[in-house]
Amino acid sequence: MKSTNGKEIWRNWIMKYEKRVSDYNFGTLLRKNVDGDYTEENTMFVTRMQVRVIFCIFEILLLI
């Protein structure tokens, strides 16, 4: 997330889960391209809540 507005929207959303999800703000490294190595260009840092959102969307798409 690069924009200040986007960061603020995400921060407000994630704070709703502060007391409901353990480790909601811990970080995880994700590769942009799974065929590549963990390099600076191919890696991004995301919070665990972002990973959970990605997996939920993925599961929903599989059910469609």
Side-chain angles (χ1 to χ4, degrees), residues 16-50:
K16 295 176 190 175
Y17 298 94
E18 180 179 15
K19 298 200 183 344
R20 294 166 51 186
V21 176
S22 62
D23 302 337
Y24 79 102
N25 66 344
F26 278 35
T28 302
L29 289 177
L30 289 181
R31 289 181 291 172
K32 297 175 186 176
N33 179 350
V34 297
D35 294 327
D37 292 329
Y38 282 96
T39 63
E40 187 174 342
E41 297 80 26
N42 193 39
T43 307
M44 61 180 144
F45 180 82
V46 298
T47 63
R48 289 191 184 169
M49 277 302 295
Q50 288 171 305

